[in-house]
Amino acid sequence: MKSKQASLIGASVAVLFANAASAQSQVSIYGIADACFSRSDTGATTTNRLNSGCQSGSRLGFRGSEDLGGGNSATFVLENGFNIDDGSLGQGGRMFGRKATVGLSSRTLGTIEMGRDYAPTFYALSPVDPTAFGIGTLSNTMWTGSNPTTVARNDNAVNYISPALGPVTLRAQYSLGEQAAPAAKGGRNTFGFNAIYRSGAWLASVAYATHANAADTANDKATTGGLSYTSGALTLSGAVQAGRWEGSRTSATPSSASSIFSRDYRSFMVGGSYFLQPTVKLWVSLKRYDDRTANNFDANQLTVATSYALSRRTDLYAAYSRLKNASSSSYAISDATTAYGAVAPGASPSLFAVGMRHAF
């Protein structure tokens, strides 16, 4: 009898401890499944394909926190990107290529995270991009502050996110290049910060990013500003970026015909979105890329899109984007996951896509 009572007491204690632990820790699973049909025209070829993630990259994520007491907590995010059209891993085959961080958070002091994360300029542009970094993404013509330029994230990063300072939050990131000796210690290191202001209908953001070349003798750098205003169903937004690409370019090759970034550029965006009905959204984005280093390397891009919400988690979307290159440039159109190239100099590539997106 005593043995049975002891077993019962032991089981009860175990359940109590398990409940206490679960009360202190929270883990959630989330994701997006996005499949689309796209028709791209590069000026030389037209291609039809079934794609994954035209409007939002398909993903599976795990997010958790543990209450450490005193307003402090331990946090983590592990976010996998995948291609729903064939089931393969995204981000070059990384297990958690979209995001992988662990950190400590304090209500009064802010949060420190380590791992792979989006650059601060990405976080500054994200709330003002009408396309939400989908079809006709703003990253087509503005640098997100990452290394390399084709992604929005940095590896080996240490982040600091401030608590809310009234209507303002601050974010800073230092990403280590981790070059093998005897390479320059600061080579390929990346630094960025942003400040985001939110108050009522207004949102404003500023950001700065710099990336050292391998020898740590010169830097690519850009300063970015964004602004949006919401009134009822209407949101208007704009962004501007000024950059000098001195770490990746040389005076002998001042501008790249196929890369939107050159040694000296200005990039602009105006756009907005409007809810025709609670379930029907329209958005438009007009962008201008002005290369200041060489003639005829400019570009203009127009994107128009709509979505229809079948439910709170599922929607259908359609979008059209067209980019007009100057006579010497051959920039391609991108959506959330794909760049549609190669493009001949002076061509005007276009992209039409329709898809379905489900968030969970």
Side-chain angles (χ1 to χ4, degrees), residues 147-227:
N147 171 40
T149 61
T150 53
V151 299
R153 310 163 182 90
N154 284 317
D155 294 335
N156 315 312
V158 178
N159 304 316
Y160 171 73
I161 305 100
S162 76
L165 306 172
V168 178
T169 57
L170 307 175
R171 177 184 290 263
Q173 180 187 84
Y174 193 81
S175 171
L176 300 174
E178 294 194 357
Q179 297 190 113
K185 291 182 179 180
R188 302 197 184 283
N189 287 357
T190 306
F191 171 74
F193 68 86
N194 72 31
I196 299 178
Y197 169 90
R198 292 181 174 89
S199 180
W202 291 95
L203 183 146
S205 63
V206 293
Y208 177 78
T210 179
H211 170 67
N213 63 12
D216 197 21
T217 57
N219 293 75
D220 303 330
K221 47 186 173 287
T223 302
T224 306
L227 183 67

Side-chain angles (χ1 to χ4, degrees), residues 13-32:
V13 171
V15 170
L16 288 173
F17 274 110
N19 289 338
S22 64
Q24 292 177 347
S25 300
Q26 295 181 346
V27 178
S28 59
I29 300 174
Y30 65 94
I32 294 176

Side-chain angles (χ1 to χ4, degrees), residues 102-336:
V102 63
L104 291 173
S105 180
S106 165
R107 282 201 300 261
T108 57
L109 299 178
T111 300
I112 293 179
E113 297 175 336
M114 295 174 289
R116 174 176 168 85
D117 194 11
Y118 296 94
T121 299
F122 173 91
Y123 285 108
L125 289 173
S126 180
V128 300
D129 182 7
T131 74
F133 285 104
I135 299 160
T137 169
L138 186 52
S139 62
N140 228 156
T141 55
M142 290 191 184
W143 182 38
T144 59
S146 65
N147 171 40
T149 61
T150 53
V151 299
R153 310 163 182 90
N154 284 317
D155 294 335
N156 315 312
V158 178
N159 304 316
Y160 171 73
I161 305 100
S162 76
L165 306 172
V168 178
T169 57
L170 307 175
R171 177 184 290 263
Q173 180 187 84
Y174 193 81
S175 171
L176 300 174
E178 294 194 357
Q179 297 190 113
K185 291 182 179 180
R188 302 197 184 283
N189 287 357
T190 306
F191 171 74
F193 68 86
N194 72 31
I196 299 178
Y197 169 90
R198 292 181 174 89
S199 180
W202 291 95
L203 183 146
S205 63
V206 293
Y208 177 78
T210 179
H211 170 67
N213 63 12
D216 197 21
T217 57
N219 293 75
D220 303 330
K221 47 186 173 287
T223 302
T224 306
L227 183 67
S228 73
Y229 175 77
T230 300
S231 176
L234 175 67
T235 297
L236 300 175
S237 60
V240 59
Q241 183 174 87
R244 292 187 63 85
W245 223 247
E246 298 175 335
S248 304
R249 304 283 185 257
T250 66
S251 58
T253 56
S255 297
S256 169
S258 59
S259 172
I260 202 73
F261 307 109
S262 70
R263 288 191 70 239
D264 190 355
Y265 70 91
R266 304 291 184 271
S267 187
F268 309 90
M269 183 279 296
V270 292
S273 64
Y274 182 73
F275 282 94
L276 286 175
Q277 301 175 12
T279 57
V280 180
K281 181 181 180 182
L282 302 176
W283 64 93
V284 62
S285 171
L286 178 62
K287 295 179 289 184
R288 165 70 176 169
Y289 174 79
D290 179 13
D291 188 308
R292 300 294 184 91
T293 309
N295 293 328
N296 302 319
F297 280 85
D298 302 334
N300 298 311
Q301 185 176 6
L302 172 67
T303 302
V304 292
T306 184
S307 65
Y308 175 72
L310 299 173
S311 69
R312 188 169 62 89
R313 295 181 177 273
T314 304
D315 66 355
L316 306 176
Y317 61 82
Y320 175 80
S321 187
R322 183 177 180 87
L323 188 151
K324 181 173 178 55
N325 282 293
S327 60
S328 297
S329 56
S330 55
Y331 310 133
I333 288 178
S334 297
D335 60 24

